[in-house]
Amino acid sequence: QQQVKQSPQSLIVQKGGISIINCAYENTAFDYFPWYQQFPGKGPALLIAIRPDVSEKKEGRFTISFNKSAKQFSLHIMDSQPGDSATYFCAASIGYGGATNKLIFGTGTLLAVQP
Amino acid sequence: GAVVSQHPSRVICKSGTSVKIECRSLDFQATTMFWYRQFPKKSLMLMATSNEGSKATYEQGVEKDKFLINHASLTLSTLTVTSAHPEDSSFYICSASGLAGGPRETQYFGPGTRLLVL
């Protein structure tokens, strides 16, 4: 119940195309869903995050779509660029009385954007 | 804002020695810091959670006597790998949360430390 399932494992997209990465969860107590981007040898960087009371959030070329009833959320990268080539992780957060919030990470998607 | 640093970025040590990794939040006070381990082409595995001034909470299967965590201040946490062995070789990443004005759940990650034990 604590898992976050992520797909696909890898993705190849042409420059200018749309990259779509999907995640699903079981635990309805999750209330915060961030996406992180990680380049080789670097730490993850926060891209965008959403809460379950919103169905969509857009920041620049990055959009999260959230389906609460299906317990699914996805990341859309519009106009994908070679510089977007990285590993993307979805995550979900479950709080413990406001003291600490552990992130449960998906398995990651390796995105390659071809020029 | 929300910059987290780690030191060192890379470390090579001999088997049996101890290695200390520092994690600092440079421009905010982190109420909570987290330590992760990541194997090549794998996801992040949470090792422990620490709050300033209190003992760290370790995840199941993580040896607390081997991975010593100290959270001495709101801007500094350290991870010490004691009596390191080759199987401890990995990429260790810290994160910090608690940025004032931001979502309390948001974790900001450091750049990671590559540990190689010979």
Side-chain angles (χ1 to χ4, degrees):
Chain A
Q1 234 195 0
Q2 292 285 51
Q3 285 185 329
V4 177
K5 296 181 179 179
Q6 184 171 347
S7 64
Q9 186 175 0
S10 62
L11 180 62
I12 299 175
V13 173
Q14 296 296 315
K15 179 182 176 181
I18 302 173
S19 304
I20 302 175
I21 304 170
N22 301 297
C23 284
Y25 63 97
E26 288 295 323
N27 193 337
T28 55
F30 287 143
D31 60 0
Y32 179 70
F33 302 87
W35 284 89
Y36 285 87
Q37 177 190 58
Q38 185 180 30
F39 293 104
K42 304 295 183 183
L46 178 66
L47 267 180
I48 185 172
I50 198 168
R51 294 191 186 280
D53 55 348
V54 177
S55 62
E56 185 175 282
K57 183 175 181 180
K58 183 177 181 180
E59 290 185 3
R61 294 185 295 111
F62 302 95
T63 299
I64 298 180
S65 296
F66 189 86
N67 187 328
K68 187 175 181 178
S69 60
K71 291 184 283 186
Q72 296 176 346
F73 60 109
S74 60
L75 176 69
H76 296 235
I77 306 176
M78 313 299 288
D79 187 26
S80 299
Q81 299 297 313
D84 297 330
S85 298
T87 299
Y88 292 81
F89 293 97
C90 64
S93 177
I94 183 169
Y96 291 96
T100 58
N101 298 94
K102 297 200 299 186
L103 282 175
I104 310 298
F105 279 89
T107 50
T109 296
L110 179 60
L111 170 66
V113 181
Q114 294 186 335
Chain B
V3 179
V4 178
S5 70
Q6 277 184 247
H7 178 80
S9 57
R10 288 173 173 266
V11 58
I12 301 173
C13 69
K14 293 182 179 179
S15 185
T17 61
S18 295
V19 174
K20 181 184 284 189
I21 302 170
E22 289 187 351
C23 176
R24 292 181 185 272
S25 56
L26 298 184
D27 51 2
F28 69 103
Q29 293 186 324
T31 52
T32 308
M33 286 185 168
F34 304 82
W35 286 96
Y36 294 84
R37 184 173 180 176
Q38 187 178 35
F39 291 103
K41 298 185 180 181
K42 295 295 185 182
S43 189
L44 287 81
M45 182 187 78
L46 179 64
M47 299 174 66
T49 302
S50 72
N51 293 293
E52 183 262 342
S54 61
K55 289 184 178 180
T57 301
Y58 290 81
E59 294 299 301
Q60 191 172 10
V62 178
E63 299 177 60
K64 61 181 180 181
D65 293 332
K66 181 168 186 61
F67 298 99
L68 300 178
I69 291 172
N70 183 275
H71 195 156
S73 73
L74 285 172
T75 59
L76 173 65
S77 177
T78 60
L79 167 68
T80 301
V81 183
T82 62
S83 186
H85 288 96
E87 57 265 30
D88 298 324
S89 299
S90 192
F91 192 49
Y92 292 88
I93 314 173
C94 71
S95 71
S97 67
L99 178 66
R104 57 184 172 83
E105 306 93 332
T106 299
Q107 292 184 28
Y108 300 94
F109 284 81
T113 296
R114 177 77 60 192
L115 170 63
L116 177 61
V117 184
L118 302 177

